[in-house]
């Protein structure tokens, strides 16, 4: 046989090809897609829908709690499921940071139920951060809110630290400039901040978050202020006392939250701030008039939030249990 006339491949070319192939593999691994689980876990959507529906029917406050849980997971350090990790004797996790202590138990329970069912059907395949992102979207839609696409393929964080979220989540007592700066530091515009605030159309707030303002804040409707004082009279003895964020349609995702603000029916100091600050007021008025525009902008902002700071490929893991790293 005649010797090959092709010159030998130089080692440097082999290295370049290998580097290209490994880069391409990492690129493929790190890309999100709408059908990420179509082959590896075909029952993903069905299991999620059944688990979410059952939980919401038995515990109607699950929707608002899950939306808040996603927000508290994503905004500080990205949507990586770090909020779901429990503290240990050696580590105080995010969920035990002071600002997260009021997060209700139902959304955590929902994630555990979904993860348990998915582990039985498709072991070690679906991430906790994907479960949380889909659950929040499905629950918004169940209550009449907009549907938006959720890209899948997030990986879960391998760590969670209470100290890492300090100053990265909005507090009800923050002024509007502080809130605008906080959202801007994560890449969100003023309009996106106002749209995301529309999540207050469902759910409730604990009396301790606004009671001290009722007597001092002149932006409250006087009759509403009086009713709040009565509802929260015993909150020093009973810290679980709470009031609906939207007193008109508390279990329906709509634009009444924005319609309430000019009437002095906002619950939190930050709610009043949205209407009284010239930078945010035009968007409040826009969404109060046009529910379709609110839904459209809320959906876009949620889509952006749900991929903020995500971990993909080898930067994270698929946790076997959502409350502990592997």
């Amino acid at each position: 046989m005649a010797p090959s006339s092709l010159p030998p491949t130089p080692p440097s070319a082999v290295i370049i090809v290998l580097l290209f192939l490994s880069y391409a593999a990492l690129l493929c691994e790190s890309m999100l897609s709408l059908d990420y689980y179509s082959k590896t876990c075909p029952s993903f959507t069905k299991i999620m829908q059944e688990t979410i529906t059952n939980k919401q029917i038995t515990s109607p406050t699950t929707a608002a709690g899950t939306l808040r849980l996603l927000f508290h997971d994503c905004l500080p350090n990205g949507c990586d499921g770090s909020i779901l990790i429990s503290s240990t004797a050696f580590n105080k996790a995010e969920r035990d940071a002071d600002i997260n202590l009021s997060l209700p138990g139902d959304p955590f329970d929902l994630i555990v139920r979904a993860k348990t069912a998915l582990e039985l059907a498709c072991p070690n395949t679906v991430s906790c951060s994907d479960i949380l992102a889909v659950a929040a979207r499905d629950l918004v839609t169940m209550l009449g809110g907009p549907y938006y696409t959720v890209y899948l393929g997030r990986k879960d964080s391998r760590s969670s630290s209470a100290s890492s979220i300090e100053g990265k989540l909005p507090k009800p007592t923050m002024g509007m400039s502080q809130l605008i700066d906080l959202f801007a530091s994560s890449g969100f515009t003023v309009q996106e901040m106002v749209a995301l605030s529309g999540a207050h159309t469902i759910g409730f707030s604990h009396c301790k978050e606004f009671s001290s303002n009722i007597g001092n804040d002149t932006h409250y409707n006087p009759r509403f202020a009086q009713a709040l004082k009565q509802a929260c009279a015993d909150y020093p003895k009973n810290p679980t006392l709470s009031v609906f964020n939207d007193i008109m349609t508390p279990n329906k995702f709509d634009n009444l939250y924005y319609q309430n603000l000019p009437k002095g029916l906002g619950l939190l100091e930050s709610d009043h701030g949205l209407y009284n600050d010239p930078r945010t007021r035009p968007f409040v008025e826009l969404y109060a008039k046009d529910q379709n525009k609110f839904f459209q902008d809320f959906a876009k902002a949620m889509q952006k939030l749900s991929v903020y700071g995500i971990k993909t490929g080898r930067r994270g893991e698929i946790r076997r249990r959502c409350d502990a790293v592997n």
Side-chain angles (χ1 to χ4, degrees):
M1 185 183 287
S4 170
S5 58
L6 291 172
T9 307
S12 59
V14 174
I15 291 168
I16 289 167
V17 169
L18 287 172
L19 282 171
F20 175 77
L21 288 172
S22 61
Y23 172 74
L26 277 172
L27 198 65
C28 291
E29 192 181 7
S30 67
M31 286 171 70
L32 301 187
S33 68
L34 292 174
D35 60 351
Y36 191 83
Y37 297 114
S38 61
K39 291 187 173 65
T40 55
C41 191
S43 53
F44 170 73
T45 302
K46 182 172 180 284
I47 289 172
M48 286 297 296
Q49 286 174 345
E50 286 177 358
T51 309
I52 290 164
T53 303
N54 291 338
K55 180 65 183 173
Q56 177 64 15
I57 288 169
T58 54
S59 306
T61 57
T62 301
T66 304
L67 196 51
R68 190 168 165 227
L69 186 62
L70 178 79
F71 188 76
H72 280 232
D73 183 44
C74 294
L75 198 64
N77 300 311
C79 305
D80 58 7
S82 51
I83 188 75
L84 304 170
I85 295 174
S86 295
S87 296
T88 66
F90 310 102
N91 178 58
K92 185 179 178 182
E94 285 177 32
R95 67 193 285 178
D96 286 321
D98 286 348
I99 198 166
N100 286 332
L101 291 176
S102 62
L103 289 171
D106 282 324
F108 288 100
D109 179 59
L110 169 62
I111 304 305
V112 169
R113 289 182 188 207
K115 180 64 170 171
T116 303
L118 287 163
E119 282 298 303
L120 287 170
C122 331
N124 203 31
T125 302
V126 180
S127 68
C128 302
S129 42
D130 274 350
I131 292 171
L132 179 54
V134 170
R137 187 273 314 277
D138 286 0
L139 285 161
V140 165
T141 309
M142 271 183 76
L143 294 192
Y147 179 90
Y148 55 92
T149 50
V150 173
Y151 288 86
L152 302 168
R154 296 164 192 74
K155 294 293 172 66
D156 298 324
S157 167
R158 295 188 179 96
S159 63
S160 177
S161 168
S163 60
S164 74
I165 66 167
E166 186 60 42
K168 294 181 181 178
L169 281 167
K171 294 177 181 174
T173 53
M174 280 182 173
M176 205 43 58
S177 291
Q178 281 178 290
L179 288 170
I180 289 170
D181 290 346
L182 182 74
F183 277 84
S185 68
S186 298
F188 290 89
T189 65
V190 172
Q191 184 162 6
E192 286 168 336
M193 181 192 80
V194 178
L196 288 170
S197 299
H200 283 176
T201 184
I202 55 174
F204 56 84
S205 294
H206 290 95
C207 289
K208 67 174 182 179
E209 293 173 336
F210 58 85
S211 281
S212 59
N213 301 323
I214 299 171
N216 311 320
D217 192 334
T218 55
H219 300 121
Y220 282 102
N221 174 297
R223 286 176 63 192
F224 183 49
Q226 194 57 41
L228 289 177
K229 281 180 186 173
Q230 290 174 354
C232 293
D234 287 336
Y235 100 88
K237 296 178 194 167
N238 182 4
T240 62
L241 279 177
S242 53
V243 176
F244 286 121
N245 291 322
D246 170 3
I247 57 166
M248 299 301 185
T249 55
N251 294 313
K252 186 181 177 194
F253 199 98
D254 55 23
N255 68 335
L256 255 66
Y257 164 74
Y258 298 106
Q259 294 180 25
N260 290 340
L261 298 183
K263 300 170 187 169
L265 300 176
L267 196 58
L268 305 174
E269 193 175 330
S270 51
D271 294 331
H272 297 296
L274 286 178
Y275 184 68
N276 295 310
D277 191 291
R279 293 166 292 183
T280 50
R281 185 172 184 159
F283 302 119
V284 171
E285 291 175 335
L286 172 65
Y287 297 147
K289 272 191 309 192
D290 190 341
Q291 180 167 281
N292 287 336
K293 179 61 176 163
F294 163 50
F295 278 15
Q296 187 184 346
D297 289 355
F298 180 81
K300 279 185 195 166
M302 284 298 291
Q303 213 166 3
K304 179 175 173 178
L305 177 67
S306 70
V307 293
Y308 173 66
I310 55 168
K311 292 174 173 58
T312 54
R314 294 170 194 170
R315 291 175 58 227
E317 64 182 15
I318 304 288
R319 272 187 236 139
R320 284 184 286 274
R321 283 179 50 141
C322 290
D323 61 354
V325 296
N326 291 343

